[in-house]
Amino acid sequence: AWSVPVPGRGHASPCVAGDGVYLTTADEKNQRQMVVAFDRATGEPRWEKVLHEGGFTTAVHEKSSQANGTVACDGERLFVSFLHNDAVWL
């Protein structure tokens, strides 16, 4: 097993698909919502993709984060949802 630091904070479950592990996370200080990918076997970071910058919704529960949705995968594509600028984005 492995453990790695994840930038930001999120409440989603990891998605394991093929040889990758995918997570949504949010850097609340810099207001960035992103998806991060790790190698399933080693935990080595593969990539990080910022999907939204700025526009964080302020009316969220204090125990929540700006990254609550779990990544879904159909074997080829990743699907994520974020609350951003008071709208849900997929």
Side-chain angles (χ1 to χ4, degrees), residues 36-85:
V36 293
F38 301 95
D39 183 272
R40 181 178 180 174
T42 66
E44 289 294 315
R46 284 193 176 164
W47 50 263
E48 177 179 300
K49 176 68 176 169
V50 175
L51 300 176
H52 298 286
E53 290 191 72
F56 273 19
T57 300
T58 57
V60 295
H61 191 277
E62 65 186 34
K63 293 183 179 180
S64 186
S65 78
Q66 299 287 336
N68 295 316
T70 296
V71 177
C73 181
D74 68 358
E76 293 181 26
R77 294 171 293 263
L78 298 178
F79 300 89
V80 297
S81 63
F82 284 104
L83 179 61
H84 180 74
N85 274 336

mmCIF file of all heavy atoms in Angstrom, residues 36-85:
data_model
loop_
_atom_site.group_PDB
_atom_site.id
_atom_site.type_symbol
_atom_site.label_atom_id
_atom_site.label_comp_id
_atom_site.label_asym_id
_atom_site.label_seq_id
_atom_site.Cartn_x
_atom_site.Cartn_y
_atom_site.Cartn_z
ATOM 1 N N VAL A 36 -6.821 14.969 -9.732
ATOM 2 C CA VAL A 36 -5.440 14.497 -9.671
ATOM 3 C C VAL A 36 -5.429 13.002 -9.946
ATOM 4 O O VAL A 36 -6.383 12.291 -9.618
ATOM 5 C CB VAL A 36 -4.770 14.824 -8.316
ATOM 6 C CG1 VAL A 36 -4.584 16.318 -8.154
ATOM 7 C CG2 VAL A 36 -5.566 14.266 -7.147
ATOM 8 N N ALA A 37 -4.362 12.545 -10.569
ATOM 9 C CA ALA A 37 -4.229 11.136 -10.935
ATOM 10 C C ALA A 37 -2.933 10.566 -10.390
ATOM 11 O O ALA A 37 -1.893 11.236 -10.414
ATOM 12 C CB ALA A 37 -4.252 10.977 -12.455
ATOM 13 N N PHE A 38 -3.018 9.329 -9.901
ATOM 14 C CA PHE A 38 -1.865 8.628 -9.347
ATOM 15 C C PHE A 38 -1.747 7.249 -9.972
ATOM 16 O O PHE A 38 -2.747 6.664 -10.394
ATOM 17 C CB PHE A 38 -2.014 8.471 -7.822
ATOM 18 C CG PHE A 38 -2.156 9.770 -7.099
ATOM 19 C CD1 PHE A 38 -3.401 10.272 -6.782
ATOM 20 C CD2 PHE A 38 -1.036 10.499 -6.737
ATOM 21 C CE1 PHE A 38 -3.536 11.479 -6.116
ATOM 22 C CE2 PHE A 38 -1.155 11.707 -6.073
ATOM 23 C CZ PHE A 38 -2.408 12.192 -5.764
ATOM 24 N N ASP A 39 -0.535 6.731 -10.019
ATOM 25 C CA ASP A 39 -0.300 5.370 -10.469
ATOM 26 C C ASP A 39 -0.860 4.410 -9.426
ATOM 27 O O ASP A 39 -0.567 4.536 -8.234
ATOM 28 C CB ASP A 39 1.196 5.120 -10.668
ATOM 29 C CG ASP A 39 1.466 3.744 -11.205
ATOM 30 O OD1 ASP A 39 1.608 2.811 -10.378
ATOM 31 O OD2 ASP A 39 1.519 3.590 -12.430
ATOM 32 N N ARG A 40 -1.665 3.466 -9.847
ATOM 33 C CA ARG A 40 -2.320 2.538 -8.919
ATOM 34 C C ARG A 40 -1.321 1.688 -8.134
ATOM 35 O O ARG A 40 -1.512 1.419 -6.956
ATOM 36 C CB ARG A 40 -3.280 1.640 -9.696
ATOM 37 C CG ARG A 40 -4.022 0.660 -8.845
ATOM 38 C CD ARG A 40 -4.970 -0.148 -9.688
ATOM 39 N NE ARG A 40 -5.706 -1.097 -8.868
ATOM 40 C CZ ARG A 40 -6.668 -1.850 -9.325
ATOM 41 N NH1 ARG A 40 -7.036 -1.778 -10.594
ATOM 42 N NH2 ARG A 40 -7.290 -2.692 -8.530
ATOM 43 N N ALA A 41 -0.248 1.268 -8.755
ATOM 44 C CA ALA A 41 0.702 0.364 -8.105
ATOM 45 C C ALA A 41 1.669 1.087 -7.173
ATOM 46 O O ALA A 41 1.999 0.577 -6.103
ATOM 47 C CB ALA A 41 1.499 -0.411 -9.160
ATOM 48 N N THR A 42 2.096 2.292 -7.560
ATOM 49 C CA THR A 42 3.166 2.960 -6.813
ATOM 50 C C THR A 42 2.732 4.218 -6.059
ATOM 51 O O THR A 42 3.438 4.675 -5.172
ATOM 52 C CB THR A 42 4.305 3.375 -7.761
ATOM 53 O OG1 THR A 42 3.809 4.382 -8.665
ATOM 54 C CG2 THR A 42 4.849 2.183 -8.534
ATOM 55 N N GLY A 43 1.611 4.812 -6.460
ATOM 56 C CA GLY A 43 1.187 6.075 -5.864
ATOM 57 C C GLY A 43 1.876 7.287 -6.449
ATOM 58 O O GLY A 43 1.636 8.408 -6.020
ATOM 59 N N GLU A 44 2.727 7.075 -7.431
ATOM 60 C CA GLU A 44 3.411 8.204 -8.058
ATOM 61 C C GLU A 44 2.390 9.116 -8.739
ATOM 62 O O GLU A 44 1.497 8.637 -9.443
ATOM 63 C CB GLU A 44 4.417 7.721 -9.107
ATOM 64 C CG GLU A 44 5.627 7.051 -8.525
ATOM 65 C CD GLU A 44 6.491 8.018 -7.718
ATOM 66 O OE1 GLU A 44 6.742 9.148 -8.200
ATOM 67 O OE2 GLU A 44 6.892 7.636 -6.615
ATOM 68 N N PRO A 45 2.515 10.438 -8.555
ATOM 69 C CA PRO A 45 1.605 11.359 -9.249
ATOM 70 C C PRO A 45 1.774 11.244 -10.764
ATOM 71 O O PRO A 45 2.895 11.173 -11.256
ATOM 72 C CB PRO A 45 2.045 12.735 -8.766
ATOM 73 C CG PRO A 45 2.817 12.495 -7.520
ATOM 74 C CD PRO A 45 3.432 11.137 -7.669
ATOM 75 N N ARG A 46 0.659 11.205 -11.488
ATOM 76 C CA ARG A 46 0.685 11.150 -12.954
ATOM 77 C C ARG A 46 0.402 12.515 -13.555
ATOM 78 O O ARG A 46 1.105 12.974 -14.428
ATOM 79 C CB ARG A 46 -0.349 10.158 -13.466
ATOM 80 C CG ARG A 46 0.050 8.737 -13.295
ATOM 81 C CD ARG A 46 -0.868 7.885 -14.115
ATOM 82 N NE ARG A 46 -0.461 6.507 -14.066
ATOM 83 C CZ ARG A 46 -1.239 5.517 -14.423
ATOM 84 N NH1 ARG A 46 -2.478 5.765 -14.842
ATOM 85 N NH2 ARG A 46 -0.806 4.285 -14.370
ATOM 86 N N TRP A 47 -0.693 13.123 -13.126
ATOM 87 C CA TRP A 47 -1.044 14.438 -13.637
ATOM 88 C C TRP A 47 -2.030 15.118 -12.693
ATOM 89 O O TRP A 47 -2.607 14.489 -11.812
ATOM 90 C CB TRP A 47 -1.612 14.387 -15.050
ATOM 91 C CG TRP A 47 -2.715 13.398 -15.291
ATOM 92 C CD1 TRP A 47 -2.596 12.143 -15.824
ATOM 93 C CD2 TRP A 47 -4.116 13.569 -15.027
ATOM 94 N NE1 TRP A 47 -3.825 11.532 -15.895
ATOM 95 C CE2 TRP A 47 -4.768 12.394 -15.419
ATOM 96 C CE3 TRP A 47 -4.874 14.595 -14.497
ATOM 97 C CZ2 TRP A 47 -6.153 12.212 -15.292
ATOM 98 C CZ3 TRP A 47 -6.244 14.430 -14.362
ATOM 99 C CH2 TRP A 47 -6.866 13.252 -14.763
ATOM 100 N N GLU A 48 -2.186 16.419 -12.920
ATOM 101 C CA GLU A 48 -3.120 17.240 -12.163
ATOM 102 C C GLU A 48 -3.775 18.188 -13.165
ATOM 103 O O GLU A 48 -3.084 18.832 -13.947
ATOM 104 C CB GLU A 48 -2.338 18.030 -11.117
ATOM 105 C CG GLU A 48 -3.136 18.984 -10.289
ATOM 106 C CD GLU A 48 -2.246 19.693 -9.277
ATOM 107 O OE1 GLU A 48 -1.623 19.016 -8.439
ATOM 108 O OE2 GLU A 48 -2.177 20.936 -9.347
ATOM 109 N N LYS A 49 -5.096 18.264 -13.158
ATOM 110 C CA LYS A 49 -5.816 19.120 -14.104
ATOM 111 C C LYS A 49 -6.729 20.075 -13.346
ATOM 112 O O LYS A 49 -7.659 19.650 -12.663
ATOM 113 C CB LYS A 49 -6.645 18.259 -15.066
ATOM 114 C CG LYS A 49 -7.501 19.044 -16.022
ATOM 115 C CD LYS A 49 -6.676 19.803 -17.020
ATOM 116 C CE LYS A 49 -7.567 20.506 -18.029
ATOM 117 N NZ LYS A 49 -6.860 21.440 -18.841
ATOM 118 N N VAL A 50 -6.440 21.371 -13.453
ATOM 119 C CA VAL A 50 -7.299 22.391 -12.849
ATOM 120 C C VAL A 50 -8.497 22.589 -13.774
ATOM 121 O O VAL A 50 -8.344 22.856 -14.964
ATOM 122 C CB VAL A 50 -6.531 23.717 -12.658
ATOM 123 C CG1 VAL A 50 -7.466 24.801 -12.148
ATOM 124 C CG2 VAL A 50 -5.359 23.519 -11.710
ATOM 125 N N LEU A 51 -9.717 22.442 -13.211
ATOM 126 C CA LEU A 51 -10.930 22.595 -14.004
ATOM 127 C C LEU A 51 -11.599 23.941 -13.804
ATOM 128 O O LEU A 51 -12.261 24.438 -14.702
ATOM 129 C CB LEU A 51 -11.916 21.469 -13.673
ATOM 130 C CG LEU A 51 -11.383 20.067 -13.960
ATOM 131 C CD1 LEU A 51 -12.382 19.017 -13.518
ATOM 132 C CD2 LEU A 51 -11.083 19.905 -15.438
ATOM 133 N N HIS A 52 -11.467 24.512 -12.606
ATOM 134 C CA HIS A 52 -12.052 25.818 -12.319
ATOM 135 C C HIS A 52 -11.101 26.615 -11.443
ATOM 136 O O HIS A 52 -10.458 26.062 -10.558
ATOM 137 C CB HIS A 52 -13.375 25.688 -11.554
ATOM 138 C CG HIS A 52 -14.440 24.963 -12.290
ATOM 139 N ND1 HIS A 52 -15.128 25.517 -13.334
ATOM 140 C CD2 HIS A 52 -14.949 23.719 -12.127
ATOM 141 C CE1 HIS A 52 -16.010 24.639 -13.781
ATOM 142 N NE2 HIS A 52 -15.923 23.540 -13.065
ATOM 143 N N GLU A 53 -11.053 27.913 -11.691
ATOM 144 C CA GLU A 53 -10.301 28.829 -10.826
ATOM 145 C C GLU A 53 -11.215 29.980 -10.452
ATOM 146 O O GLU A 53 -11.907 30.532 -11.304
ATOM 147 C CB GLU A 53 -9.060 29.368 -11.541
ATOM 148 C CG GLU A 53 -8.007 28.302 -11.746
ATOM 149 C CD GLU A 53 -6.682 28.875 -12.201
ATOM 150 O OE1 GLU A 53 -6.014 29.514 -11.374
ATOM 151 O OE2 GLU A 53 -6.349 28.682 -13.367
ATOM 152 N N GLY A 54 -11.210 30.351 -9.159
ATOM 153 C CA GLY A 54 -12.082 31.411 -8.680
ATOM 154 C C GLY A 54 -13.530 30.953 -8.673
ATOM 155 O O GLY A 54 -13.852 29.825 -9.023
ATOM 156 N N GLY A 55 -14.409 31.829 -8.253
ATOM 157 C CA GLY A 55 -15.841 31.543 -8.299
ATOM 158 C C GLY A 55 -16.333 30.514 -7.308
ATOM 159 O O GLY A 55 -17.379 29.905 -7.517
ATOM 160 N N PHE A 56 -15.606 30.313 -6.209
ATOM 161 C CA PHE A 56 -16.053 29.337 -5.222
ATOM 162 C C PHE A 56 -17.374 29.779 -4.600
ATOM 163 O O PHE A 56 -17.587 30.956 -4.321
ATOM 164 C CB PHE A 56 -15.013 29.152 -4.125
ATOM 165 C CG PHE A 56 -13.962 28.124 -4.438
ATOM 166 C CD1 PHE A 56 -13.713 27.713 -5.727
ATOM 167 C CD2 PHE A 56 -13.222 27.565 -3.417
ATOM 168 C CE1 PHE A 56 -12.740 26.771 -6.005
ATOM 169 C CE2 PHE A 56 -12.249 26.615 -3.678
ATOM 170 C CZ PHE A 56 -12.013 26.218 -4.974
ATOM 171 N N THR A 57 -18.245 28.840 -4.379
ATOM 172 C CA THR A 57 -19.509 29.079 -3.714
ATOM 173 C C THR A 57 -19.241 29.233 -2.226
ATOM 174 O O THR A 57 -18.569 28.402 -1.632
ATOM 175 C CB THR A 57 -20.471 27.905 -3.975
ATOM 176 O OG1 THR A 57 -20.674 27.799 -5.381
ATOM 177 C CG2 THR A 57 -21.796 28.111 -3.283
ATOM 178 N N THR A 58 -19.760 30.286 -1.633
ATOM 179 C CA THR A 58 -19.485 30.536 -0.215
ATOM 180 C C THR A 58 -20.485 29.852 0.702
ATOM 181 O O THR A 58 -20.204 29.641 1.874
ATOM 182 C CB THR A 58 -19.474 32.043 0.085
ATOM 183 O OG1 THR A 58 -20.731 32.597 -0.307
ATOM 184 C CG2 THR A 58 -18.349 32.737 -0.664
ATOM 185 N N ALA A 59 -21.646 29.492 0.206
ATOM 186 C CA ALA A 59 -22.683 28.891 1.040
ATOM 187 C C ALA A 59 -22.564 27.364 1.048
ATOM 188 O O ALA A 59 -23.395 26.653 0.505
ATOM 189 C CB ALA A 59 -24.055 29.312 0.545
ATOM 190 N N VAL A 60 -21.493 26.865 1.649
ATOM 191 C CA VAL A 60 -21.327 25.419 1.794
ATOM 192 C C VAL A 60 -21.250 25.088 3.279
ATOM 193 O O VAL A 60 -20.875 25.921 4.095
ATOM 194 C CB VAL A 60 -20.063 24.889 1.068
ATOM 195 C CG1 VAL A 60 -20.171 25.069 -0.429
ATOM 196 C CG2 VAL A 60 -18.811 25.538 1.596
ATOM 197 N N HIS A 61 -21.604 23.879 3.621
ATOM 198 C CA HIS A 61 -21.549 23.436 5.006
ATOM 199 C C HIS A 61 -20.111 23.504 5.511
ATOM 200 O O HIS A 61 -19.170 23.218 4.767
ATOM 201 C CB HIS A 61 -22.079 22.006 5.117
ATOM 202 C CG HIS A 61 -22.294 21.564 6.520
ATOM 203 N ND1 HIS A 61 -21.277 21.077 7.303
ATOM 204 C CD2 HIS A 61 -23.406 21.551 7.285
ATOM 205 C CE1 HIS A 61 -21.757 20.758 8.494
ATOM 206 N NE2 HIS A 61 -23.051 21.035 8.515
ATOM 207 N N GLU A 62 -19.929 23.881 6.765
ATOM 208 C CA GLU A 62 -18.584 24.059 7.324
ATOM 209 C C GLU A 62 -17.749 22.782 7.300
ATOM 210 O O GLU A 62 -16.530 22.841 7.299
ATOM 211 C CB GLU A 62 -18.665 24.601 8.741
ATOM 212 C CG GLU A 62 -19.312 23.653 9.723
ATOM 213 C CD GLU A 62 -19.516 24.237 11.104
ATOM 214 O OE1 GLU A 62 -19.766 25.435 11.219
ATOM 215 O OE2 GLU A 62 -19.426 23.466 12.065
ATOM 216 N N LYS A 63 -18.382 21.611 7.284
ATOM 217 C CA LYS A 63 -17.640 20.355 7.240
ATOM 218 C C LYS A 63 -17.463 19.850 5.810
ATOM 219 O O LYS A 63 -16.881 18.802 5.587
ATOM 220 C CB LYS A 63 -18.338 19.293 8.083
ATOM 221 C CG LYS A 63 -18.302 19.620 9.557
ATOM 222 C CD LYS A 63 -18.919 18.524 10.377
ATOM 223 C CE LYS A 63 -18.841 18.868 11.847
ATOM 224 N NZ LYS A 63 -19.435 17.816 12.679
ATOM 225 N N SER A 64 -17.987 20.584 4.859
ATOM 226 C CA SER A 64 -17.897 20.208 3.459
ATOM 227 C C SER A 64 -16.645 20.819 2.842
ATOM 228 O O SER A 64 -15.875 21.500 3.502
ATOM 229 C CB SER A 64 -19.141 20.706 2.725
ATOM 230 O OG SER A 64 -19.166 20.260 1.408
ATOM 231 N N SER A 65 -16.441 20.556 1.565
ATOM 232 C CA SER A 65 -15.334 21.167 0.829
ATOM 233 C C SER A 65 -15.850 21.607 -0.531
ATOM 234 O O SER A 65 -17.007 21.381 -0.866
ATOM 235 C CB SER A 65 -14.163 20.190 0.680
ATOM 236 O OG SER A 65 -14.434 19.251 -0.335
ATOM 237 N N GLN A 66 -14.991 22.170 -1.330
ATOM 238 C CA GLN A 66 -15.339 22.589 -2.693
ATOM 239 C C GLN A 66 -15.126 21.453 -3.691
ATOM 240 O O GLN A 66 -15.196 21.657 -4.897
ATOM 241 C CB GLN A 66 -14.517 23.815 -3.084
ATOM 242 C CG GLN A 66 -14.747 25.015 -2.201
ATOM 243 C CD GLN A 66 -16.088 25.692 -2.432
ATOM 244 O OE1 GLN A 66 -16.694 25.582 -3.494
ATOM 245 N NE2 GLN A 66 -16.563 26.410 -1.441
ATOM 246 N N ALA A 67 -14.845 20.240 -3.171
ATOM 247 C CA ALA A 67 -14.659 19.057 -4.028
ATOM 248 C C ALA A 67 -15.301 17.866 -3.333
ATOM 249 O O ALA A 67 -14.654 17.122 -2.609
ATOM 250 C CB ALA A 67 -13.180 18.800 -4.284
ATOM 251 N N ASN A 68 -16.595 17.683 -3.552
ATOM 252 C CA ASN A 68 -17.331 16.605 -2.899
ATOM 253 C C ASN A 68 -17.677 15.447 -3.830
ATOM 254 O O ASN A 68 -17.970 14.356 -3.366
ATOM 255 C CB ASN A 68 -18.615 17.146 -2.275
ATOM 256 C CG ASN A 68 -18.335 18.107 -1.154
ATOM 257 O OD1 ASN A 68 -17.479 17.863 -0.328
ATOM 258 N ND2 ASN A 68 -19.055 19.213 -1.124
ATOM 259 N N GLY A 69 -17.668 15.701 -5.134
ATOM 260 C CA GLY A 69 -18.084 14.672 -6.088
ATOM 261 C C GLY A 69 -16.985 13.657 -6.383
ATOM 262 O O GLY A 69 -15.828 14.013 -6.574
ATOM 263 N N THR A 70 -17.363 12.398 -6.429
ATOM 264 C CA THR A 70 -16.435 11.310 -6.752
ATOM 265 C C THR A 70 -16.293 11.180 -8.265
ATOM 266 O O THR A 70 -17.280 11.270 -8.998
ATOM 267 C CB THR A 70 -16.948 9.990 -6.146
ATOM 268 O OG1 THR A 70 -16.958 10.116 -4.723
ATOM 269 C CG2 THR A 70 -16.081 8.809 -6.536
ATOM 270 N N VAL A 71 -15.090 10.969 -8.733
ATOM 271 C CA VAL A 71 -14.828 10.752 -10.154
ATOM 272 C C VAL A 71 -15.490 9.436 -10.586
ATOM 273 O O VAL A 71 -15.443 8.440 -9.865
ATOM 274 C CB VAL A 71 -13.306 10.672 -10.425
ATOM 275 C CG1 VAL A 71 -13.032 10.365 -11.890
ATOM 276 C CG2 VAL A 71 -12.614 11.952 -10.000
ATOM 277 N N ALA A 72 -16.085 9.429 -11.770
ATOM 278 C CA ALA A 72 -16.619 8.208 -12.372
ATOM 279 C C ALA A 72 -15.849 7.961 -13.669
ATOM 280 O O ALA A 72 -15.367 8.894 -14.306
ATOM 281 C CB ALA A 72 -18.109 8.354 -12.660
ATOM 282 N N CYS A 73 -15.732 6.696 -14.054
ATOM 283 C CA CYS A 73 -14.987 6.344 -15.268
ATOM 284 C C CYS A 73 -15.743 5.266 -16.028
ATOM 285 O O CYS A 73 -16.246 4.314 -15.431
ATOM 286 C CB CYS A 73 -13.594 5.846 -14.885
ATOM 287 S SG CYS A 73 -12.581 5.407 -16.314
ATOM 288 N N ASP A 74 -15.820 5.416 -17.351
ATOM 289 C CA ASP A 74 -16.467 4.406 -18.186
ATOM 290 C C ASP A 74 -15.446 3.503 -18.870
ATOM 291 O O ASP A 74 -15.774 2.768 -19.784
ATOM 292 C CB ASP A 74 -17.377 5.060 -19.226
ATOM 293 C CG ASP A 74 -16.623 5.848 -20.283
ATOM 294 O OD1 ASP A 74 -15.372 5.935 -20.214
ATOM 295 O OD2 ASP A 74 -17.278 6.394 -21.193
ATOM 296 N N GLY A 75 -14.207 3.556 -18.427
ATOM 297 C CA GLY A 75 -13.144 2.761 -19.032
ATOM 298 C C GLY A 75 -12.308 3.555 -20.018
ATOM 299 O O GLY A 75 -11.209 3.151 -20.365
ATOM 300 N N GLU A 76 -12.845 4.686 -20.486
ATOM 301 C CA GLU A 76 -12.124 5.542 -21.416
ATOM 302 C C GLU A 76 -12.070 6.992 -20.952
ATOM 303 O O GLU A 76 -11.096 7.687 -21.160
ATOM 304 C CB GLU A 76 -12.785 5.507 -22.797
ATOM 305 C CG GLU A 76 -12.686 4.165 -23.485
ATOM 306 C CD GLU A 76 -13.333 4.213 -24.854
ATOM 307 O OE1 GLU A 76 -13.404 5.304 -25.452
ATOM 308 O OE2 GLU A 76 -13.773 3.157 -25.317
ATOM 309 N N ARG A 77 -13.171 7.479 -20.375
ATOM 310 C CA ARG A 77 -13.290 8.887 -19.999
ATOM 311 C C ARG A 77 -13.548 9.008 -18.502
ATOM 312 O O ARG A 77 -14.138 8.124 -17.894
ATOM 313 C CB ARG A 77 -14.445 9.536 -20.760
ATOM 314 C CG ARG A 77 -14.212 9.607 -22.245
ATOM 315 C CD ARG A 77 -15.485 10.050 -22.958
ATOM 316 N NE ARG A 77 -16.517 9.025 -22.842
ATOM 317 C CZ ARG A 77 -16.778 8.117 -23.779
ATOM 318 N NH1 ARG A 77 -16.097 8.125 -24.896
ATOM 319 N NH2 ARG A 77 -17.717 7.216 -23.606
ATOM 320 N N LEU A 78 -13.129 10.148 -17.946
ATOM 321 C CA LEU A 78 -13.433 10.471 -16.558
ATOM 322 C C LEU A 78 -14.569 11.482 -16.535
ATOM 323 O O LEU A 78 -14.629 12.376 -17.378
ATOM 324 C CB LEU A 78 -12.208 11.086 -15.866
ATOM 325 C CG LEU A 78 -10.964 10.218 -15.769
ATOM 326 C CD1 LEU A 78 -9.840 10.993 -15.103
ATOM 327 C CD2 LEU A 78 -11.254 8.940 -15.007
ATOM 328 N N PHE A 79 -15.451 11.345 -15.566
ATOM 329 C CA PHE A 79 -16.570 12.261 -15.380
ATOM 330 C C PHE A 79 -16.500 12.800 -13.957
ATOM 331 O O PHE A 79 -16.358 12.033 -13.007
ATOM 332 C CB PHE A 79 -17.905 11.541 -15.595
ATOM 333 C CG PHE A 79 -18.047 10.953 -16.964
ATOM 334 C CD1 PHE A 79 -17.608 9.669 -17.221
ATOM 335 C CD2 PHE A 79 -18.607 11.689 -17.994
ATOM 336 C CE1 PHE A 79 -17.733 9.110 -18.490
ATOM 337 C CE2 PHE A 79 -18.734 11.144 -19.264
ATOM 338 C CZ PHE A 79 -18.291 9.855 -19.509
ATOM 339 N N VAL A 80 -16.578 14.111 -13.824
ATOM 340 C CA VAL A 80 -16.536 14.747 -12.507
ATOM 341 C C VAL A 80 -17.596 15.837 -12.445
ATOM 342 O O VAL A 80 -17.999 16.379 -13.468
ATOM 343 C CB VAL A 80 -15.148 15.346 -12.185
ATOM 344 C CG1 VAL A 80 -14.090 14.280 -12.117
ATOM 345 C CG2 VAL A 80 -14.755 16.410 -13.184
ATOM 346 N N SER A 81 -18.026 16.146 -11.234
ATOM 347 C CA SER A 81 -18.949 17.265 -11.064
ATOM 348 C C SER A 81 -18.440 18.147 -9.936
ATOM 349 O O SER A 81 -17.885 17.666 -8.949
ATOM 350 C CB SER A 81 -20.369 16.777 -10.770
ATOM 351 O OG SER A 81 -20.404 16.073 -9.544
ATOM 352 N N PHE A 82 -18.603 19.444 -10.146
ATOM 353 C CA PHE A 82 -18.212 20.438 -9.150
ATOM 354 C C PHE A 82 -19.314 21.479 -9.037
ATOM 355 O O PHE A 82 -19.934 21.845 -10.041
ATOM 356 C CB PHE A 82 -16.935 21.184 -9.569
ATOM 357 C CG PHE A 82 -15.668 20.413 -9.396
ATOM 358 C CD1 PHE A 82 -15.031 19.864 -10.497
ATOM 359 C CD2 PHE A 82 -15.094 20.254 -8.144
ATOM 360 C CE1 PHE A 82 -13.839 19.167 -10.347
ATOM 361 C CE2 PHE A 82 -13.912 19.559 -7.989
ATOM 362 C CZ PHE A 82 -13.282 19.013 -9.087
ATOM 363 N N LEU A 83 -19.532 21.968 -7.833
ATOM 364 C CA LEU A 83 -20.352 23.152 -7.629
ATOM 365 C C LEU A 83 -19.423 24.346 -7.822
ATOM 366 O O LEU A 83 -18.406 24.467 -7.136
ATOM 367 C CB LEU A 83 -20.949 23.158 -6.221
ATOM 368 C CG LEU A 83 -21.823 24.353 -5.866
ATOM 369 C CD1 LEU A 83 -23.035 24.441 -6.791
ATOM 370 C CD2 LEU A 83 -22.267 24.263 -4.417
ATOM 371 N N HIS A 84 -19.755 25.188 -8.795
ATOM 372 C CA HIS A 84 -18.885 26.320 -9.134
ATOM 373 C C HIS A 84 -19.744 27.471 -9.632
ATOM 374 O O HIS A 84 -20.615 27.274 -10.487
ATOM 375 C CB HIS A 84 -17.886 25.905 -10.218
ATOM 376 C CG HIS A 84 -16.958 26.983 -10.622
ATOM 377 N ND1 HIS A 84 -15.911 27.398 -9.847
ATOM 378 C CD2 HIS A 84 -16.940 27.769 -11.716
ATOM 379 C CE1 HIS A 84 -15.281 28.374 -10.447
ATOM 380 N NE2 HIS A 84 -15.893 28.625 -11.592
ATOM 381 N N ASN A 85 -19.484 28.669 -9.106
ATOM 382 C CA ASN A 85 -20.286 29.851 -9.484
ATOM 383 C C ASN A 85 -21.775 29.580 -9.341
ATOM 384 O O ASN A 85 -22.577 29.911 -10.215
ATOM 385 C CB ASN A 85 -19.975 30.308 -10.911
ATOM 386 C CG ASN A 85 -18.795 31.250 -10.962
ATOM 387 O OD1 ASN A 85 -18.466 31.908 -9.985
ATOM 388 N ND2 ASN A 85 -18.149 31.318 -12.116
#
